[in-house]
Amino acid sequence: MSIPKEEQRLMRAAARRAAVQALFQMESAGEDWRDVREEFETHRLGMTVEGDAFREADVDLFRALLEGAVNRQAQVD
């Protein structure tokens, strides 16, 4: 079954937003990126947490953005 284009767009936007939130959590709490990725994939993406609904996200894009930022952190800093 094919996902409609508008839903794909929303899932990609959700993946980008989640990646930024995950990076912030890693930086502010000093957590390992793999632990944060697992937390987001298991408990946040597509879930409701403390009354906040997280849209279903493009998990592959979320992973690529998160890992890409971690791998290029020295260049960004």
Side-chain angles (χ1 to χ4, degrees), residues 17-52:
R17 183 177 299 113
V20 169
Q21 291 171 332
L23 290 166
F24 178 80
Q25 181 173 324
M26 288 167 38
E27 187 70 23
S28 64
E31 296 180 44
D32 183 78
W33 71 272
R34 289 169 288 265
D35 295 334
V36 173
R37 181 188 66 194
E38 178 68 25
E39 176 188 336
F40 270 73
E41 290 180 11
T42 303
H43 300 292
R44 295 191 186 208
L45 302 181
M47 306 289 185
T48 299
V49 179
E50 298 177 3
D52 293 326

Side-chain angles (χ1 to χ4, degrees), residues 7-23 40-41 44-46 54-67:
E7 184 62 23
Q8 288 177 5
R9 186 187 70 75
L10 293 171
M11 289 175 71
R12 291 178 63 79
R16 290 189 292 272
R17 183 177 299 113
V20 169
Q21 291 171 332
L23 290 166
F40 270 73
E41 290 180 11
R44 295 191 186 208
L45 302 181
F54 287 77
R55 175 174 285 284
E56 191 66 41
D58 180 331
V59 176
D60 291 333
L61 178 59
F62 169 72
R63 288 177 181 170
L65 292 169
L66 188 59
E67 291 176 30

